[in-house]
Amino acid sequence: MIVLARHGETEWSASGRHTSTTDLPLTERGRDAARTLRTRLVGREFALVLASPRARAVETARLAGFEPELEPDLVELDYGPFEGRTTAEIRAERPGWTVWVDPGGEKLEQAAARVDRVIDRAMAVDGDVALFAHGHILRILGARWLGLAPHHGANFKLDTASLSALGFEREIRAFEYWNS
């Protein structure tokens, strides 16, 4: 099983600002939510724990009780010129804009290649794996787990400090649960 943990709240995630390369800390509310993940994961054994190298993902992993290995392929989708801006601000200039069509700095296919490498790495491990990362990249990872194109991540809502689990129904890849 692969358990996905989205990082806790930051000032920008709370205000709806797209955050990729800007390295923000968790808010106090985000730290509290990350500590709650610890109670939800207590007793779970993971053969591998990976985190995006961004402070918000690493801090979430540590507050949840894990010392992760940093995995650069888990960084958030690069928003380029949309970094730090809300969807409403971007749509004022580009009506109908969506990150799932034009992320700004990185093509969805490039992000999909990154998460495919993470999935391959996780599948090579004997035991469960935990991944601490970001909203859009984990949604793309979920889509890729199911064999879908990366833009299908749009269909998978993912809240801060949420847990999801990827597993199998017999030999078919499936979600055990999502956005819990």
Side-chain angles (χ1 to χ4, degrees):
M1 178 181 298
I2 302 173
V3 174
L4 311 179
R6 182 175 174 202
H7 66 75
E9 178 190 87
T10 67
E11 180 184 328
W12 282 15
S13 67
S15 64
R17 294 168 71 183
H18 294 284
T19 318
S20 177
T21 57
T22 305
D23 209 4
L24 299 173
L26 300 177
T27 62
E28 190 54 44
R29 186 170 137 174
R31 285 188 287 279
D32 288 343
R35 287 183 199 99
T36 299
L37 291 178
R38 178 188 292 249
T39 64
R40 296 183 61 206
L41 294 170
V42 70
R44 291 292 309 263
E45 295 286 331
F46 292 103
L48 180 65
V49 178
L50 300 175
S52 159
R54 302 288 188 250
R56 57 198 182 271
V58 174
E59 185 178 9
T60 298
R62 288 179 176 154
L63 290 170
F66 302 95
E67 189 56 47
E69 178 183 333
L70 302 185
E71 175 50 71
D73 280 338
L74 285 173
V75 296
E76 181 60 291
L77 185 63
D78 183 349
Y79 304 120
F82 305 132
E83 179 80 5
R85 300 177 69 197
T86 66
T87 297
E89 290 169 346
I90 299 164
R91 285 182 176 172
E93 298 170 9
R94 300 180 65 180
W97 176 85
T98 174
V99 72
W100 300 104
V101 174
D102 179 14
E106 177 180 26
K107 293 183 181 342
L108 293 177
E109 293 75 19
Q110 292 171 305
R114 290 194 285 116
V115 299
D116 286 348
R117 289 191 296 267
V118 173
I119 290 170
D120 289 345
R121 184 172 178 197
M123 293 297 293
V125 172
D126 185 21
D128 292 344
V129 174
L131 306 176
F132 289 82
H134 315 276
H136 286 120
I137 201 68
L138 289 176
R139 292 166 71 179
I140 293 168
L141 195 150
R144 298 301 299 144
W145 178 257
L146 298 177
L148 302 172
H151 71 270
H152 287 287
N155 300 105
F156 309 130
K157 182 179 188 257
L158 196 60
D159 297 324
T160 55
S162 63
L163 293 176
S164 302
L166 313 177
F168 292 88
E169 170 65 24
R170 295 182 184 79
E171 66 282 352
I172 306 297
R173 289 182 180 188
F175 289 168
E176 296 284 335
Y177 53 89
W178 188 265
N179 198 35
S180 171

